[in-house]
Amino acid sequence: SAVISQKPSRDICQRGTSLTIQCQVDSQVTMMFWYRQQPGQSLTLIATANQGSEATYESGFVIDKFPISRPNLTFSTLTVSNMSPEDSSIYLCSVDEGVLDTQYFGPGTRLTVL
Amino acid sequence: AQSVTQPDIHITVSEGASLELRCNYSYGATPYLFWYVQSPGQGLQLLLKYFSGDTLVQGIKGFEAEFKRSQSSFNLRKPSVHWSDAAEYFCAVGLTNFGNEKLTFGTGTRLTIIP
């Protein structure tokens, strides 16, 4: 399976600022996904990022708050904009290697907003 | 829309004892089913998956799961747990429509192992 890395692994940010999270894969993949895991909760899909097209956002998530870039087949970024304490979560990227819809996850970015 | 239910929020078992984590799904077609494990401070690791064929699937770390269509269940089992199995376990169902590969996760079951 693909090896996925995320940067930063964790961060503490001030209210009103923005943070960009990077996701790097060691092989070319078509589909990448961004999830949010709020404290003590399950994973919620934020958006699907395909290279060469605009990201597709799930209900409740908007591009102005969570802009996503997908410049090539091995890299994506998620920005959490104008942060508030409610944005404190673990943000995970995942990739679909195209083998029967199996997704593999990165280690996550733990974000705390003060 | 599909949904996943993990009825047990927290389970405690003794080291060496057997384990079964429950998962029920709701989906109109044949589902893709997955179990992931998340150790403290870590990302998600795929334990096993079911797509078709043999309803008993083997995974990593000695885990297995059985797909029961009549019960809409995909329970995870391990005959003898180790202290390192303490983690959060997530069941997930995937859409099978090409080009719409979304996963829906259950709320998770936290597993505690006691000596």
Side-chain angles (χ1 to χ4, degrees), chain B:
Chain B
Q2 73 272 29
S3 66
V4 180
T5 301
Q6 293 181 249
D8 303 306
I9 296 173
H10 184 203
I11 285 182
T12 300
V13 300
S14 299
E15 189 169 16
S18 63
L19 171 70
E20 183 169 25
L21 302 182
R22 296 183 290 167
C23 173
N24 293 97
Y25 67 91
S26 173
Y27 184 51
T30 301
Y32 290 176
L33 294 162
F34 307 84
W35 276 99
Y36 288 88
V37 60
Q38 185 178 36
S39 298
Q42 304 295 315
L44 270 70
Q45 182 180 22
L46 179 68
L47 282 176
L48 48 78
K49 58 191 177 187
Y50 171 80
F51 296 109
S52 65
D54 193 348
T55 57
L56 184 65
V57 294
Q58 303 295 321
I60 62 172
K61 303 185 179 186
F63 285 93
E64 67 178 26
E66 185 171 13
F67 171 60
K68 293 186 177 180
R69 185 187 303 275
S70 61
Q71 298 177 21
S72 298
S73 69
F74 188 57
N75 293 348
L76 181 71
R77 301 194 295 249
K78 186 170 184 178
S80 176
V81 297
H82 186 262
W83 64 266
S84 61
D85 293 325
E88 188 90 19
Y89 290 80
F90 293 96
C91 181
V93 60
L95 290 178
T96 55
N97 296 324
F98 179 78
N100 195 12
E101 292 81 0
K102 298 180 184 180
L103 288 181
T104 298
F105 284 84
T107 51
T109 298
R110 183 160 62 93
L111 176 63
T112 297
I113 308 295
I114 56 176

Side-chain angles (χ1 to χ4, degrees), chain A residues 10 31 33 35 37 40-45 48 50 56 58 90 92 94 96 99-108 110, chain B residues 32 34 36 38 40-46 49 51 88 90 94-108:
Chain A
R10 60 178 61 228
M31 303 189 70
F33 305 85
Y35 288 84
Q37 186 179 23
Q41 304 296 314
S42 186
L43 282 76
T44 301
L45 180 64
T48 302
N50 292 340
T56 302
E58 297 299 301
I90 299 173
L92 300 106
S94 73
D96 184 332
V99 180
L100 298 177
D101 297 347
T102 301
Q103 290 186 27
Y104 296 91
F105 285 79
R110 184 179 296 271
Chain B
Y32 290 176
F34 307 84
Y36 288 88
Q38 185 178 36
Q42 304 295 315
L44 270 70
Q45 182 180 22
L46 179 68
K49 58 191 177 187
F51 296 109
E88 188 90 19
F90 293 96
L95 290 178
T96 55
N97 296 324
F98 179 78
N100 195 12
E101 292 81 0
K102 298 180 184 180
L103 288 181
T104 298
F105 284 84
T107 51

